[in-house]
Amino acid sequence: MKKKTYTDQSIEQQIKRLLLTVLPVMGAIIVVLIVMLLSINSQYSGVLQSANTAADFNKEFKTMLDSSMYNHVIRPRSATSLEELPMDVLDDAVSVLKRLETTTTLRDNRWRVQSMLDMCDNLRTYMERIALEDSYDQRMELLERNIRGETGLTKLIETYMHDFIDDEVREMARLQRWITTQVTAVIIGVVAGGALLALAMVWYSVRVTKRITEPISALSRKAQQFGEGDFTSAPLETHITELQTLDSGFNEMARRVDALMAKQIQDQKSLHHAELELLQAQINPHFLYNTLDSIAILAESQREEDVVTMVTSLSTFFRNSLNKGEDIISLDAERTQVTSYLEIQQIRYSDILRYEIHIPDELLDCRVPKLILQPLVENALYHGIKNRRGMGTITVTGEADGDDLLLKVTDNGAGMDEEQVRVLQAGIYEDRHTGLGLVNVHKRIRLYCGQPYGLFFESQIGKGSTVSIRLPQTRTLGKEEIPL
C-alpha cells in the first residue's frame, strides 16, 4: 500500500483551505456593503416618499376642495347642508399631512406640516360657518376671503406645500451627493480588497486546480478509451485521495465490463424469446383444446365441410405460429395467421361473429413482428363481441400513414367509456394488463421499433372499440437488424 504523504489530500480538504482563505474577506466586504446600502436606502426612501406624497397632495387638494365648496355655496340651504360639506376631502388631506409629519426628517418641514394641520382645523371651522349661513352673498364672501381666494387657506396651504417640496428636493440632492461620496469610497475599498483577495486566490487556485484538473483530465481520457472499447490503461498518477480511489475502482470495473455487456446482450435476447414463447404457450393450449372440442362436436353433427375447414385453418394457424422460429414475418403471413384464427372462431361462434380483413396488396410485403394481430382479435372477440347481444363484426384494416404502417382491429362490441380507455392505455404503458395479452404485443413492438410505435385505443360504450398498431413501414426489417 502506498504511504500517504503530506501532499496527499482529499479534494474536500483542499477546498476547505481555499474557503477559509476567501470567506473572511468576502464576509467583511458583504457586511460593509449591506450596512451602507440599508442606511442609504432608508434615508433616500424616506425623503423620496415625502416628496412624492407632497407632490400628489399639492396636485389635487386645492382644486378639489375649492370646487367642492363652490358647488356647496351655490346650492340652496337645507336641513342637510352641514352633512353635505366635502369633509372627506379635508379628512384625506389631514391623513396625508400626518403621514408627511412622520416621514420627513427636516425640522422646518415638520413645522410646515404642523402649520398646515392647524390651517385644516381652521378650514373645517370656516366650512361649517358657510354651511350654516343662509345668505348667498355672505357665503360667497366667506368662501372667497377665507378658503379659495388669494388670502384663503387653500392657497396658503398650497404655498406651504410648495416650500415643503422644495426643501425635500434639496435634501434629496444633498443625499445624492453624500451617496456618491460613499459609493466612491466603497468602490475604492472593494477594488483594493478585491485585488488583494484575487492575488491570493489566483496563487492558491493555480496550485489546487493543477492538482485536481490534471488527474481528472487523465481520468476523463481513460473513460473515453473505455467508451471506445479500450479497457487497458496505466494507473493514474495523482495525490488526490478520492481520485486514487476512483481510478482503482475504475480499473476494476473495466475488467468486468466486457463480460457484463456480453451477458446483458445475451440476457436480453433470452428474455425476448422467452416472452414470445410465453405468449405462444398461453395462446396455443387453450385455443387448441377449444378448437378440438369444436371439431369433435362438428364431427358428431356430421358437418364434414366445417370439420375440414376448421382442421385446415388450425393447421395453417400453427404452421404460421412456428414460422421456422423467426420473429419477424411479412404482413402477408401475419394476415394469413389472423385469417386462420378468425375462420376457426367464426365456425365456433357462427351466431355472433362476422369478420372482414382489408389490407392493400402493396403493403403485404412489409415486415412486422410475429403474432401482433391475433391477440388483438382475440381480445376484441372475448371482451367486445361476446359482451353484446346479437351479431358482431371484427374488422382488420391496414393503411400507409406517411412513413408508418397503421394496422387497426375494430369491433362493434360492448365498448368502453373514457375512463376505462384511459386506464387501459395507461396500463399498457405501465405493464399492468398482462391478462389481456396486449402488454406483450406492445412491449415487443417497442423492443423491435422503439418509440413512438405501439398500441393505441379508441372506444365508445355500446359502439365498440378500435385498437391501432403503429409500426415503421419498412420492407427490410430483418432479424439481424433488431435490437435484442
Side-chain angles (χ1 to χ4, degrees), residues 4-10 14 207 211 238-241:
K4 187 175 180 179
T5 66
Y6 174 75
T7 57
D8 287 344
Q9 292 181 330
S10 67
Q14 300 199 37
R207 294 184 59 192
R211 290 181 177 183
T238 178
H239 295 290
I240 305 298
T241 55

Side-chain angles (χ1 to χ4, degrees), residues 335-474:
R335 183 187 64 171
T336 301
Q337 169 83 354
V338 76
T339 301
S340 301
Y341 177 81
L342 282 168
E343 286 175 347
I344 294 170
Q345 298 292 33
Q346 188 178 43
I347 295 173
R348 293 183 60 204
Y349 301 104
S350 58
D351 56 335
I352 64 169
L353 176 63
R354 288 195 301 262
Y355 73 87
E356 298 176 4
I357 299 178
H358 305 290
I359 299 177
D361 291 342
E362 61 269 19
L363 297 178
L364 294 179
D365 61 340
C366 289
R367 307 290 288 175
V368 299
K370 182 172 64 176
L371 279 175
I372 57 173
L373 287 176
Q374 186 275 333
L376 306 188
V377 169
E378 180 178 5
N379 188 67
L381 172 61
Y382 287 101
H383 298 279
I385 301 300
K386 292 184 70 174
N387 288 333
R388 60 160 285 165
R389 293 182 179 179
M391 181 65 69
T393 302
I394 295 176
T395 304
V396 180
T397 62
E399 62 183 76
D401 185 12
D403 294 332
D404 292 344
L405 172 64
L406 196 62
L407 303 176
K408 294 183 179 181
V409 176
T410 303
D411 67 78
N412 60 350
M416 299 177 287
D417 59 29
E418 291 184 3
E419 178 62 19
Q420 289 175 311
V421 173
R422 186 192 66 79
V423 171
L424 179 60
Q425 186 78 56
I428 291 298
Y429 282 83
E430 296 171 11
D431 198 359
R432 291 191 282 105
H433 288 271
T434 55
L436 299 180
L438 303 180
V439 169
N440 192 293
V441 174
H442 180 76
K443 284 172 62 179
R444 287 192 296 116
I445 293 173
R446 283 290 175 90
L447 180 64
Y448 288 127
C449 309
Q451 295 184 356
Y453 302 107
L455 300 185
F456 305 91
F457 301 88
E458 301 174 48
S459 186
Q460 286 186 327
I461 288 288
K463 294 185 178 181
S465 304
T466 297
V467 184
S468 300
I469 306 174
R470 182 171 292 276
L471 299 162
Q473 187 185 158
T474 175

Side-chain angles (χ1 to χ4, degrees), residues 30 40 87 118 144 188 296 351 386 411 427 449 464 466 478:
I30 291 172
I40 291 173
M87 289 298 183
D118 293 338
E144 293 296 329
I188 293 172
D351 56 335
K386 292 184 70 174
D411 67 78
C449 309
T466 297

Side-chain angles (χ1 to χ4, degrees), residues 171-451:
E171 177 65 10
M172 288 175 63
R174 187 193 67 80
L175 281 174
Q176 183 66 44
R177 291 191 298 273
W178 180 78
I179 289 170
T180 302
T181 302
Q182 293 294 315
V183 168
T184 302
V186 169
I187 290 175
I188 293 172
V190 169
V191 169
L196 293 174
L197 180 62
L199 289 174
M201 289 180 61
V202 168
W203 175 78
Y204 189 74
S205 296
V206 168
R207 294 184 59 192
V208 172
T209 54
K210 187 175 180 180
R211 290 181 177 183
I212 295 175
T213 57
E214 287 184 354
I216 287 179
S217 297
L219 194 59
S220 177
R221 290 192 295 271
K222 180 182 288 190
Q224 186 176 4
Q225 292 175 0
F226 288 173
E228 294 171 353
D230 181 6
F231 299 105
T232 59
S233 61
L236 191 67
E237 291 293 335
T238 178
H239 295 290
I240 305 298
T241 55
E242 290 93 342
L243 293 179
Q244 292 171 353
T245 303
L246 184 60
D247 182 59
S248 176
F250 210 67
N251 291 332
E252 178 65 24
M253 177 189 65
R255 287 192 291 268
R256 303 182 183 180
V257 167
D258 271 337
L260 289 176
M261 289 176 60
K263 186 175 184 301
Q264 183 182 17
I265 293 173
Q266 185 59 42
D267 288 347
Q268 194 172 7
K269 288 181 179 180
S270 300
L271 177 62
H272 161 63
H273 290 297
E275 287 179 344
L276 185 57
E277 290 173 1
L278 177 61
L279 175 64
Q280 291 175 316
Q282 290 173 337
I283 295 173
N284 294 346
H286 177 74
F287 174 63
L288 178 61
Y289 299 151
N290 290 338
T291 303
L292 291 176
D293 287 343
S294 298
I295 291 173
I297 294 172
L298 292 172
E300 290 176 356
S301 302
Q302 297 183 348
R303 294 169 57 184
E304 291 83 359
E305 291 184 4
D306 287 340
V307 170
V308 172
T309 299
M310 187 171 283
V311 170
T312 303
S313 297
L314 182 64
S315 174
T316 302
F317 178 84
F318 279 101
R319 183 166 55 253
N320 281 307
S321 294
L322 296 174
N323 196 41
K324 300 179 181 179
E326 293 185 4
D327 298 332
I328 300 299
I329 61 176
S330 68
L331 181 56
D332 188 25
E334 183 69 12
R335 183 187 64 171
T336 301
Q337 169 83 354
V338 76
T339 301
S340 301
Y341 177 81
L342 282 168
E343 286 175 347
I344 294 170
Q345 298 292 33
Q346 188 178 43
I347 295 173
R348 293 183 60 204
Y349 301 104
S350 58
D351 56 335
I352 64 169
L353 176 63
R354 288 195 301 262
Y355 73 87
E356 298 176 4
I357 299 178
H358 305 290
I359 299 177
D361 291 342
E362 61 269 19
L363 297 178
L364 294 179
D365 61 340
C366 289
R367 307 290 288 175
V368 299
K370 182 172 64 176
L371 279 175
I372 57 173
L373 287 176
Q374 186 275 333
L376 306 188
V377 169
E378 180 178 5
N379 188 67
L381 172 61
Y382 287 101
H383 298 279
I385 301 300
K386 292 184 70 174
N387 288 333
R388 60 160 285 165
R389 293 182 179 179
M391 181 65 69
T393 302
I394 295 176
T395 304
V396 180
T397 62
E399 62 183 76
D401 185 12
D403 294 332
D404 292 344
L405 172 64
L406 196 62
L407 303 176
K408 294 183 179 181
V409 176
T410 303
D411 67 78
N412 60 350
M416 299 177 287
D417 59 29
E418 291 184 3
E419 178 62 19
Q420 289 175 311
V421 173
R422 186 192 66 79
V423 171
L424 179 60
Q425 186 78 56
I428 291 298
Y429 282 83
E430 296 171 11
D431 198 359
R432 291 191 282 105
H433 288 271
T434 55
L436 299 180
L438 303 180
V439 169
N440 192 293
V441 174
H442 180 76
K443 284 172 62 179
R444 287 192 296 116
I445 293 173
R446 283 290 175 90
L447 180 64
Y448 288 127
C449 309
Q451 295 184 356

Side-chain angles (χ1 to χ4, degrees), residues 73 126 129-130 132-146:
V73 166
Y126 289 133
R129 284 178 58 187
I130 289 173
L132 297 174
E133 180 61 50
D134 293 329
S135 170
Y136 172 80
D137 293 336
Q138 188 65 30
R139 292 198 304 272
M140 189 62 71
E141 181 183 356
L142 288 171
L143 175 65
E144 293 296 329
R145 184 176 70 247
N146 297 322

Side-chain angles (χ1 to χ4, degrees), residues 140-157:
M140 189 62 71
E141 181 183 356
L142 288 171
L143 175 65
E144 293 296 329
R145 184 176 70 247
N146 297 322
I147 296 180
R148 75 172 191 170
E150 289 299 321
T151 60
L153 289 175
T154 57
K155 180 66 176 179
L156 188 58
I157 290 174

Side-chain angles (χ1 to χ4, degrees), residues 17-114:
R17 288 182 62 185
L18 180 61
L19 292 177
L20 290 175
T21 304
V22 173
L23 287 181
V25 179
M26 292 295 295
I29 293 175
I30 291 172
V31 169
V32 170
L33 288 174
I34 289 175
V35 171
M36 187 195 75
L37 290 174
L38 289 176
S39 175
I40 291 173
N41 183 68
S42 176
Q43 295 182 54
Y44 197 80
S45 295
V47 175
L48 184 60
Q49 182 181 358
S50 295
N52 286 336
T53 304
D56 292 339
F57 174 88
N58 219 28
K59 198 175 355 180
E60 301 176 356
F61 172 68
K62 177 175 172 54
T63 302
M64 290 181 60
L65 188 62
D66 288 354
S67 175
S68 299
M69 284 305 299
Y70 177 79
N71 292 332
H72 187 276
V73 166
I74 64 176
R75 288 198 298 269
R77 300 297 88 185
S78 65
T80 61
S81 293
L82 192 61
E83 288 79 8
E84 294 172 355
L85 285 170
M87 289 298 183
D88 56 332
V89 177
L90 190 60
D91 292 338
D92 291 342
V94 171
S95 176
V96 170
L97 289 170
K98 287 182 177 180
R99 288 204 307 273
L100 290 176
E101 188 176 22
T102 60
T103 57
T104 184
T105 59
L106 302 177
R107 183 177 62 181
D108 289 348
N109 276 349
R110 281 198 292 269
W111 172 81
R112 289 188 180 95
V113 171
Q114 188 58 52

